[in-house]
Amino acid sequence: MAHQAHAYHMVDPSPWPLTGAVAALLMTSGLAIWMHFNSVTLMSLGLVLLLLTMYQWWRDIVREGTFQGHHTPPVQKGLRYGMILFITSEVFFFLGFFWAFYHSSLAPTPELGGCWPPAGITTLDPFEVPLLNTAVLLASGVTVTWAHHSIMEGHRKQAIQSLTLTILLGFYFTILQALEYYEAPFTIADGVYGSTFFVATGFHGLHVIIGSTFLAVCLLRQVQYHFTSEHHFGFEAAAWYWHFVDVVWLFLYISIYWWGS
Amino acid sequence: MFRHMIAVQQVARRSICSSARRQVDNKVPQKQKIFQEDNGMPIHLKGGSGDALLYRATMALTVLGVGFTLYELVKASFPQKRD
């Protein structure tokens, strides 16, 4: 076997970028077909292809790192840069929705009654379920940090317990938020209040689900002895993402739930 | 008498431990052997026949998907009334 004279990782040719791009094509075209012709087939096909791509792509990365040893320190540095840049791009994504919220709420138009919250909108009490949700996510930030220290100190059982607790807190948040959505006295169609509320909190909720999934994969990997006390970047990436989700919620809570009520 | 007490304690501890949860074995060394084998297989097929099956299914959906998309887009481009 030819050996490389450098510490970097020249990946094997892979079909997953192509299948991922096709999945994006199918999902976007499928969205248009759904909007105009009431058929979800194309979009669903795209979603299935996306899930297959994600599973196999990330499975291959685990193989390359944990089983083949390709994730040397310089490679891991690149992965860290990558995750940080990705999270930064997500910050900008949410920034847009916060911009929209402040644009409409700082100078409420006459159509809204010249006030915020707009006339006719019954807002949610920020000191009920939203406050509980804040506590749940803050607690999950503590448990994920506990999990990290457990991994670094080689405490396998504690790492599994704290990581499981983090994921359960994530599920609890999601369930509470789903119930809030169901019980809310306003909908997404209720003017700019409804739009900004549900789009901003909705995308946040989606990110909670994504983050919980990432943590669940880390739990499976921790159980299967993939992580060492020195090398567990997959977990660190998940923890960074989870903290980001928590911080976005804090901004949402303060801006939309509290100031905006 | 003291030895018997210790023995009971140990047995009690053992039976509680083993019934609580089954142990997951560390299979990482075996996986490392499989994936470091010099067989020229690319990473996405190196795990065995399961990989090949999943790859073929994914590729089939990819090709079919592109075809279906082009068909739907061409169909949508013409002024036809839909039911």
Side-chain angles (χ1 to χ4, degrees):
Chain A
M1 175 144 86
H3 288 109
Q4 59 189 51
H6 59 82
Y8 296 96
H9 183 198
M10 305 301 288
V11 293
D12 290 338
S14 170
W16 312 132
L18 176 68
T19 61
V22 169
L25 169 70
L26 262 58
M27 286 193 299
T28 48
S29 317
L31 193 65
I33 296 293
W34 181 32
M35 293 288 133
H36 291 273
F37 305 115
N38 200 32
S39 163
V40 290
T41 314
L42 191 57
M43 190 175 67
S44 310
L45 190 59
L47 262 151
V48 169
L49 200 50
L50 177 70
L51 290 167
L52 283 167
T53 301
M54 292 195 296
Y55 170 73
Q56 292 171 99
W57 193 328
W58 285 322
R59 173 205 68 189
D60 289 353
I61 293 174
V62 170
R63 289 175 176 181
E64 288 161 358
T66 307
F67 303 145
Q68 291 187 328
H70 281 295
H71 291 180
T72 59
V75 171
Q76 203 191 119
K77 194 165 175 219
L79 293 170
R80 284 174 190 275
Y81 274 129
M83 192 64 195
I84 297 210
L85 287 169
F86 172 65
I87 292 177
T88 306
S89 76
E90 293 249 76
V91 168
F92 281 104
F93 178 73
F94 277 97
L95 224 55
F97 296 118
F98 277 101
W99 184 349
F101 168 74
Y102 279 111
H103 174 94
S104 298
S105 59
L106 284 168
T109 61
E111 288 86 351
L112 304 174
C115 55
W116 194 275
I121 294 283
T122 328
T123 60
L124 300 169
D125 187 340
F127 299 108
E128 290 191 352
V129 175
L131 187 60
L132 173 61
N133 272 343
T134 306
V136 167
L137 281 186
L138 285 172
S140 71
V142 171
T143 55
V144 81
T145 306
W146 174 20
H148 190 196
H149 284 271
S150 304
I151 291 173
M152 289 192 290
E153 287 154 30
H155 294 141
R156 177 182 160 80
K157 204 171 83 157
Q158 269 199 46
I160 291 170
Q161 284 172 347
S162 47
L163 192 42
T164 305
L165 192 50
T166 309
I167 295 164
L168 287 173
L169 286 166
F171 283 164
Y172 188 33
F173 176 95
T174 304
I175 290 167
L176 284 168
Q177 194 68 327
L179 290 170
E180 279 285 274
Y181 269 30
Y182 185 73
E183 297 287 344
F186 53 86
T187 72
I188 196 171
D190 285 325
V192 75
Y193 184 87
S195 304
T196 51
F197 180 90
F198 284 107
V199 169
T201 61
F203 271 118
H204 174 261
L206 179 65
H207 284 72
V208 171
I209 293 166
I210 292 168
S212 302
T213 309
F214 195 173
L215 288 166
V217 169
C218 287
L219 178 60
L220 274 160
R221 293 188 67 202
Q222 164 65 11
V223 166
Q224 288 170 29
Y225 298 88
H226 286 199
F227 299 137
T228 71
S229 51
E230 268 92 50
H231 190 161
H232 43 264
F233 176 65
F235 171 82
E236 286 183 74
W240 290 349
Y241 195 80
W242 192 251
H243 287 305
F244 154 72
V245 160
D246 188 4
V247 170
V248 170
W249 170 258
L250 294 174
F251 277 96
L252 280 172
Y253 179 72
I254 290 169
S255 307
I256 296 182
Y257 285 90
W258 196 349
W259 177 83
S261 70
Chain B
M1 160 84 170
F2 188 59
R3 240 178 299 150
H4 284 300
M5 277 167 61
I6 303 288
V8 169
Q9 274 184 351
Q10 284 180 336
V11 168
R13 211 177 294 135
R14 220 180 293 142
S15 50
I16 289 167
C17 245
S18 57
S19 62
R21 191 185 299 116
R22 54 181 155 75
Q23 287 282 64
V24 177
D25 296 319
N26 185 353
K27 295 200 182 70
V28 172
Q30 290 137 274
K31 295 276 177 133
Q32 286 171 334
K33 194 158 168 276
I34 294 169
F35 289 103
Q36 288 177 35
E37 203 189 310
D38 192 3
N39 55 20
M41 294 290 266
I43 192 71
H44 64 282
L45 297 170
K46 214 171 169 87
S49 53
D51 285 2
L53 186 66
L54 201 56
Y55 165 73
R56 267 183 248 133
T58 309
M59 219 22 116
L61 280 177
T62 304
V63 173
L64 266 143
V66 171
F68 187 28
T69 304
L70 290 171
Y71 163 71
E72 285 281 6
L73 288 175
V74 168
K75 197 164 82 161
S77 311
F78 287 98
Q80 222 143 32
K81 213 163 72 134
R82 305 274 175 139
D83 291 317

